[in-house]
Amino acid sequence: MTGRKALRLLFLAVALGFGVWAVASRWTEVSEGFARLSWLELGGSLLAVIAALGCGMMMWRALLADLGSPLAFPHAAKIFFVGQLGKYIPGSLWPVLAQMEMGRDHGIPRARSAAAFFLTYPVYLGSGLLTAAVTLPVLAGGSVARFAWLLLLIPVLAAALHPSVVNWCINRGLRLLRRAPLERPLTRRGVLVACGWAFGGWAAYGTHLALIVHGLGASGPQAALLSVGAFALAWSLGFIVVIAPAGVGVREVAMVAALAPVLSQDAAIAATLCSRLIVSVGDLVCAGVAGLSARRSAPAVPVESPAGSLRGDQPKD
C-alpha cells in the first residue's frame, strides 16, 4: 500500500468516525422529536437532504468545470461528498485538503480545486440570504426582525461574485502565494449556473425542514415557505458567526425564531435538532454511495489539452 493510499484511508476512517459520533451523540436530544414523525416524513426528509446535497455537489462541479476542469458525475460526486466528510474532523481545512488531494487523480491543479471549493461559500451565502429575504419578512414578521441587518450583505455579495472581481481576488491570492494565475478565468455563465444549483439546494433543504415541521404540527403553504427561509437564514447566520463551530447554537436560534409563527418554541427546537441530525445522516449516505459508485466506474485518466494543460474527464451524463 502506498503512502498516499494509506493517508486517504486514514482520513476516511477518521472522518467517518467523527461523522458517526456526531449522529450518535445527538440521538438522545432528538429521539423525542423523531418519535412524533412518521416513517414517511423521516424518509422524505432524508431524501430531500440528499437532493440538496446533490445540488451542492453540482454547484461545485459547475464552478470547477467553468474554471477548466470538467468532471464526470461519479468522480465529481466521490471527490465532493467524501471530501465533505472532513468538516466533521476538528479544523476547518480538511474538506478542501481532501478535495485537492483526490482531485489530483483527475488532473485538477490544486489551485483550481481550492478556488472552486472556496467559491461555493459566497454563492451559498448570497443565494441563502436572498432566499431568506424573499420568504421571511412578510410571513415571519417581528420574529426575525433582529436579523434584518443581514439584508445589507446581499448587494455586497452580488458585487463580490462578479467574475471580474472573483478572478482578480483569486489571481491576487495566487500571486501572494507565488503561484501561477488560473489558466481559465471564471465566467458569468459559470456563476449563474452555480447560483441556479444553489437555489435548488435551498428549495430541497426547505422541503426537508417542512416535512419535519409538518410532523410536529404545522402544515400549509405558510409553514412550507417559512421552512425554506428558516433553513437558509440559519445556515447563512451560522456561516457568518464563525466563532461558533459549524454554526452550532447560532443556527438553532435563527431557525427557532423563523419558525415561531407556526410552531411553539419547544416544537421549533425539536425541529432544529432533528434537522441537524438528518443532514448529518445525509452526509454519510452521500459519501458512501458516491464512493461505491466511483469505484465501479472506469478510472479517470487525465488527458493533455491542446493548450498543454491537464484536464480531467469530460462529463458523461
Side-chain angles (χ1 to χ4, degrees), residues 203-273:
Y205 276 127
T207 301
H208 135 79
L209 184 58
L211 288 167
I212 297 173
V213 168
H214 181 273
L216 295 175
S219 59
Q222 182 182 11
L225 286 174
L226 279 175
S227 296
V228 176
F231 197 98
L233 174 66
W235 187 93
S236 300
L237 191 64
F239 176 77
I240 292 170
V241 184
V242 294
I243 194 173
V248 174
V250 177
R251 292 183 181 178
E252 283 75 6
V253 169
M255 195 174 290
V256 169
L259 294 175
V262 294
L263 287 179
S264 67
Q265 185 175 30
D266 289 342
I269 291 173
T272 63
L273 295 175

Side-chain angles (χ1 to χ4, degrees), residues 17-272:
F18 275 104
V20 171
W21 178 80
V23 171
S25 64
R26 296 175 189 144
W27 180 252
T28 55
E29 297 177 326
V30 303
S31 57
E32 184 178 346
F34 276 167
R36 298 171 60 182
L37 303 177
S38 69
W39 284 106
L40 186 61
E41 288 162 341
L42 282 171
S45 184
L46 178 59
L47 288 176
V49 164
I50 292 173
L53 293 171
C55 287
M57 185 275 293
M58 292 299 292
M59 175 183 67
W60 168 81
R61 181 180 179 231
L63 290 168
L64 194 61
D66 196 57
L67 291 171
S69 290
L71 279 175
F73 183 90
H75 301 306
K78 178 186 177 182
I79 294 172
F80 182 82
F81 290 128
V82 174
Q84 284 296 296
L85 289 179
K87 67 185 179 183
Y88 292 101
I89 303 175
S92 302
L93 293 178
W94 293 110
V96 65
L97 292 176
Q99 289 184 9
M100 288 166 62
E101 171 63 22
M102 288 186 289
R104 290 176 59 193
D105 296 340
H106 303 273
I108 304 174
R110 287 191 176 94
R112 195 177 295 167
S113 287
F117 175 87
F118 287 112
L119 277 173
T120 61
Y121 288 107
V123 173
Y124 258 139
L125 184 58
S127 60
L129 290 175
L130 186 57
T131 299
V134 170
T135 55
L136 292 181
V138 175
L139 296 175
S143 66
V144 294
R146 76 187 91 167
F147 306 117
W149 59 272
L150 290 169
L151 299 177
L152 299 175
L153 296 178
I154 295 177
V156 175
L157 287 165
L161 283 172
H162 191 281
S164 61
V165 176
V166 172
N167 292 323
W168 183 87
C169 290
I170 292 175
N171 287 327
R172 177 66 176 171
L174 291 172
R175 194 157 47 245
L176 290 175
L177 294 172
R178 297 182 180 180
R179 297 289 188 270
L182 291 175
E183 300 90 343
R184 182 169 162 179
L186 188 71
T187 68
R188 182 176 301 177
R189 181 181 182 279
V191 173
L192 292 176
V193 171
C195 287
W197 284 113
F199 283 119
W202 294 126
Y205 276 127
T207 301
H208 135 79
L209 184 58
L211 288 167
I212 297 173
V213 168
H214 181 273
L216 295 175
S219 59
Q222 182 182 11
L225 286 174
L226 279 175
S227 296
V228 176
F231 197 98
L233 174 66
W235 187 93
S236 300
L237 191 64
F239 176 77
I240 292 170
V241 184
V242 294
I243 194 173
V248 174
V250 177
R251 292 183 181 178
E252 283 75 6
V253 169
M255 195 174 290
V256 169
L259 294 175
V262 294
L263 287 179
S264 67
Q265 185 175 30
D266 289 342
I269 291 173
T272 63

